[in-house]
Amino acid sequence: MRVLVTGGAGFIGSHTVLALAAAGHDPVIADNFSNSKPSVLPRIEELAGRPVTLHEVDLTDTAATDALFAAGGFDAVIHFAGFKAVGESVAKPALYYRNNIDSTLSVLDAMVKHGVSRFVFSSSATVYGEKAPVPYREDWEFLEATNPYGQTKVMIERILTDVAAVNEGWKVALLRYFNPVGAHASGRIGEDPNGIPNNLMPFVSQVAVGRRDRLTVFGDDYPTSDGTGERDYIHVVDLAAGHVAALDHLDAMATPARAFNLGTGTGTSVLQIVRAFEAASGRPIPYDVGPRRAGDLPTSYADATRAREELGWTAKLSIEDMCADSWRWQSNNPEGFPS
Ligand code: UD1
């Protein structure tokens, strides 16, 4: 399939472009580099062993999006593009709603107009909110998020479900990611956050490489194995494979829209990550224990049954693989992608 990958220059997008190419699909990237750099493209092409087309386009621009589809000949869309910083979304909610919803709507309009009916969406486990029981199951109905970023995921899932229901032949997979980490085993592409990382793994790897002094562990009095927060970390290469599995499954899906958790089904604590990263890197990760971060849950992990049974997909890579690959990327590219 010829697949438009929006946000394909980003962390998960770039790994998914490689997985698509390796599976014999033809990925085409649309990105406006709002949180990525053009220098990722030659590295994607080097790893794919073939040229990959990238269109620099802002998807909130409906005319530009329409033109992209008019010339594209796409069979499917994988939609990663969107703002994703939780704290920034609290400070600038309208920016987040405008960008994430508008871009999705212009893609949907263009798909209807140009007869593209396969869609894979980059959703998040954040849609389970604070009340869903752990492990999270896709049939939990009361989706809600604790911040505007997460709310855009809830709203877009709703929009996609409604649009798929009334457009003949539409198939939409809503992929709810747990905590994507790691990097391509080559060390050539990986996560390159702007500024101070919000998320644990990039922060830890920046401490290991000497870009930051020490980690603050956000609370050690949770009701977990060692008191620190537990999350379902998933290797980005496994996650990318999950997108290919979802894409290949779309035509066989019994309902127009369906949600799938992409996680391992296992929780790992902050301190377990610290120790695993120290082992992988051979560097110490000094840390202090600070207060809990507002909005954090003690434990979050997936019930990964549905993806296994229906997509034939399971995560294969371990916490050790995630840390080793993150470290290879970080140590080979201490400042991330070249500007
Ligand atoms: C966060 C977002 C979530 C988003 C996801 C994307 C919040 C509250 N949630 O999830 O909406 O979908 O990223 O991957 O921001 N930790 C530390 N010190 C740090 C950073 C993190 O101790 O410097 C701890 C956290 O308290 C948590 C764990 O590490 O227990 C993982 O945190 P993080 O990587 O930010 O992911 P989430 O909070 O699960």
Side-chain angles (χ1 to χ4, degrees):
M1 280 187 252
R2 189 165 162 83
V3 186
L4 178 67
V5 184
T6 76
F11 173 46
I12 306 171
S14 58
H15 289 81
T16 300
V17 166
L18 282 182
L20 288 165
H25 293 294
D26 181 19
V28 175
I29 299 172
D31 209 297
N32 67 350
F33 302 118
S34 74
N35 191 25
S36 59
K37 296 189 187 127
S39 58
V40 70
L41 186 64
R43 296 196 181 188
I44 291 173
E45 292 179 320
E46 157 201 320
L47 295 169
R50 48 161 282 191
V52 174
T53 304
L54 185 150
H55 298 280
E56 187 170 352
V57 50
D58 181 340
L59 299 168
T60 63
D61 180 339
T62 49
T65 305
D66 186 69
L68 179 69
F69 276 82
F74 305 125
D75 302 298
V77 175
I78 303 183
H79 185 46
F80 292 102
F83 293 160
K84 65 176 188 74
V86 173
E88 186 184 48
S89 81
V90 173
K92 301 175 183 170
L95 177 76
Y96 270 64
Y97 289 116
R98 170 76 75 192
N99 183 71
N100 291 4
I101 309 277
D102 270 5
S103 54
T104 304
L105 290 175
S106 28
V107 169
L108 291 178
D109 281 349
M111 287 175 64
V112 170
K113 185 168 164 194
H114 298 283
V116 184
S117 56
R118 298 184 188 92
F119 194 98
V120 175
F121 179 54
S122 176
S123 190
S124 167
T126 199
V127 302
Y128 290 111
E130 292 181 317
K131 297 190 194 81
V134 178
Y136 297 130
R137 286 170 49 98
E138 294 91 341
D139 54 12
W140 176 259
E141 287 183 4
F142 309 102
L143 301 184
E144 56 173 2
T146 54
N147 56 75
Y149 152 73
Q151 286 297 353
T152 69
K153 297 295 184 193
V154 173
M155 290 173 168
I156 293 168
E157 283 205 10
R158 181 82 258 156
I159 292 168
L160 290 168
T161 304
D162 291 347
V163 169
V166 297
N167 282 286
E168 185 64 34
W170 270 52
K171 291 294 169 62
V172 175
L174 310 166
L175 303 185
R176 296 178 180 160
Y177 311 156
F178 282 70
N179 289 65
V181 299
H184 192 266
S186 64
R188 294 291 287 158
I189 61 171
E191 189 170 12
D192 182 16
N194 272 331
I196 301 171
N198 300 307
N199 298 117
L200 179 65
M201 189 66 104
F203 201 103
V204 165
S205 66
Q206 290 192 9
V207 172
V209 85
R211 266 175 81 176
R212 318 234 162 244
D213 288 341
R214 39 204 310 125
L215 171 72
T216 301
V217 174
F218 297 146
D220 67 352
D221 57 353
Y222 285 108
T224 59
S225 58
D226 60 19
T228 65
E230 288 172 341
R231 294 292 182 272
D232 186 340
Y233 297 95
I234 172 168
H235 197 297
V236 65
V237 169
D238 277 332
L239 189 60
H243 289 74
V244 178
L247 181 72
D248 291 344
H249 171 71
L250 282 179
D251 290 350
M253 237 165 57
T255 52
R258 192 146 174 87
F260 298 95
N261 288 338
L262 295 185
T264 65
T266 312
T268 303
S269 76
V270 175
L271 292 180
Q272 286 170 333
I273 291 288
V274 167
R275 281 186 219 105
F277 208 96
E278 288 181 329
S281 64
R283 303 275 183 99
I285 312 290
Y287 66 85
D288 302 306
V289 176
R292 293 180 176 191
R293 181 171 64 181
D296 272 357
L297 297 167
T299 302
S300 157
Y301 57 93
D303 179 328
T305 310
R306 185 184 283 185
R308 185 183 70 238
E309 290 182 351
E310 298 182 20
L311 304 180
W313 171 91
T314 50
K316 297 189 174 61
L317 298 165
S318 66
I319 292 288
E320 288 69 32
D321 296 320
M322 301 178 208
C323 292
D325 292 336
S326 286
W327 176 242
R328 191 173 304 106
W329 154 252
Q330 184 71 68
S331 53
N332 289 345
N333 306 269
E335 302 299 326
F337 290 104
S339 293

